[in-house]
Amino acid sequence: MSINEEKLKQLEHLAALIRLDTLKSIKAMGQGHLGGSFSIIELLTVLYGKQMNVDPQNPYKEERDRLVLSKGHAGVALYSTLANVGYFDKKWLATINQGGTSLPSHPDRLKTPGIDATTGSLGQGTSIAAGIATGLKLANQSNNVYLIVGDGELNEGQCWEAFQYIAHFKLNHCLVLIDENKKQLDGSTKNIMNPFDLQKKMQAFGFYTLKVNGADMRAIDEAIEECKTVNDQAVCIVLDSVKGQGIPYFERLVDNHSVKFNSKEINRAADLAIEELQQKINRGS
């Protein structure tokens, strides 16, 4: 079912809440992976706001869909999403990466309700997702697995081994979602290790592959719906996103992979963005 105007407004409201809490959490920590967290917020909003079969009141129900955030450094965006859809109290967000927290800097399935895979060592989440999808298939379960992987992360050979496996066994219930925000820790992906055309590469690996605007929730949703109609082939969506997506100042910031809130300019920009997001939320959009 496509997104109507009422549902789109609900999703826009949720995305604003997630972006606000993500920014406030990173600012409170003094630094964090802002760029790659912001670039997947629209995707997370569509997944938890519409697409995934999950129940925040029963996080481990057997028939739930699974999410593997292979780019685990974006964990703060996932935590903000889980808090805003009801997995745990939003007060937890103030404890991210502190001693004794249930919200470590990278997702840990043993610590946080709603986390299905412990990730952070880049590349490994792809294999975890392939393994989960295999187990579900062998058990004749219809659950979907959503794998979010970064474009910089695709420097890891393990990703391509996992993709080859997913394609060979036609694990079409494991949807590969590539966040192509075009930057990684040390610069642009094109300069560090040119990925060339990721859509064509995934097609060459045997995937039915779509490419959409990573900030367009309607387009993301339609692409997921289309992938769900594919019966005999692995599926992938490449999201054409922007590091720091949704806040112009952070989109333009050159060093926006992991932002340090150590200057008046950055803190002022963050405070202004927080104010604007709060106003947007108050308006109900």
Side-chain angles (χ1 to χ4, degrees):
M1 181 182 297
S2 61
I3 297 176
N4 58 30
E5 288 302 317
E6 181 180 357
K7 185 63 177 179
L8 182 60
K9 282 187 174 293
Q10 292 174 0
L11 292 176
E12 288 174 343
H13 183 74
L14 177 58
L17 286 168
I18 295 169
R19 187 163 273 110
L20 174 63
D21 286 330
T22 300
L23 178 55
K24 288 169 68 175
S25 296
I26 294 174
K27 185 175 185 291
M29 288 188 288
Q31 65 177 6
H33 291 97
L34 184 150
S37 292
F38 279 17
S39 62
I40 61 169
I41 285 175
E42 279 71 25
L43 171 61
L44 289 170
T45 300
V46 171
L47 290 176
Y48 283 92
K50 182 176 183 290
Q51 284 289 343
M52 291 180 66
N53 175 20
V54 291
D55 180 2
Q57 304 308 310
N58 185 14
Y60 305 108
K61 69 174 184 175
E62 192 65 26
E63 64 272 24
R64 76 188 185 280
D65 290 337
R66 270 68 163 183
L67 183 128
V68 178
L69 181 65
S70 191
K71 45 174 285 179
H73 53 279
V76 63
L78 180 53
Y79 295 149
S80 297
T81 304
L82 294 175
N84 275 288
V85 298
Y87 277 87
F88 48 79
D89 195 309
K90 287 178 70 170
K91 292 179 181 178
W92 289 23
L93 296 176
T95 72
I96 294 175
N97 207 26
Q98 295 182 13
T101 186
S102 295
L103 305 178
S105 61
H106 293 63
D108 186 328
R109 69 179 184 84
L110 300 181
K111 291 183 178 293
T112 313
I115 298 297
D116 294 307
T118 301
T119 58
S121 185
L122 294 179
Q124 293 185 2
T126 56
S127 298
I128 293 171
I132 293 172
T134 300
L136 292 170
K137 185 176 182 178
L138 290 172
N140 294 314
Q141 294 181 329
S142 59
N143 320 56
N144 291 309
V145 181
Y146 295 90
L147 165 64
I148 303 177
V149 57
D151 52 356
E153 182 179 2
L154 296 183
N155 292 171
E156 297 283 353
Q158 183 171 357
C159 295
W160 299 99
E161 293 178 37
F163 294 161
Q164 186 171 340
Y165 175 94
I166 292 168
H168 174 77
F169 288 101
K170 300 178 180 179
L171 301 177
N172 61 304
H173 59 300
C174 180
L175 177 53
V176 177
L177 299 150
I178 299 176
D179 176 30
E180 189 179 18
N181 61 38
K182 304 163 205 64
K183 292 176 73 175
Q184 56 194 99
L185 175 63
D186 296 324
S188 73
T189 54
K190 185 176 181 180
N191 290 333
I192 292 171
M193 188 71 69
N194 194 339
F196 298 98
D197 190 323
L198 288 175
Q199 184 177 10
K200 289 181 178 178
K201 286 174 77 169
M202 294 303 287
Q203 288 171 342
F205 262 66
F207 282 75
Y208 180 87
T209 310
L210 300 172
K211 187 170 184 176
V212 300
N213 181 347
D216 186 335
M217 290 189 285
R218 201 174 245 138
I220 294 169
D221 180 69
E222 289 173 356
I224 294 173
E225 290 290 342
E226 184 173 338
C227 284
K228 286 182 175 180
T229 68
V230 177
N231 295 318
D232 198 36
Q233 190 178 2
V235 288
C236 171
I237 299 172
V238 179
L239 296 121
D240 183 6
S241 62
V242 178
K243 208 98 167 176
Q245 189 165 280
I247 299 180
Y249 175 86
F250 290 110
E251 290 180 1
R252 294 190 298 267
L253 189 66
V254 174
D255 188 16
N256 62 1
H257 178 81
S258 181
V259 176
K260 292 181 174 62
F261 289 81
N262 57 2
S263 74
K264 290 183 179 179
E265 180 184 339
I266 288 179
N267 279 285
R268 186 163 52 246
D271 289 340
L272 180 60
I274 288 170
E275 182 180 345
E276 291 175 347
L277 285 166
Q278 190 63 65
Q279 289 174 354
K280 182 177 182 180
I281 291 164
N282 292 342
R283 290 194 301 268
S285 60

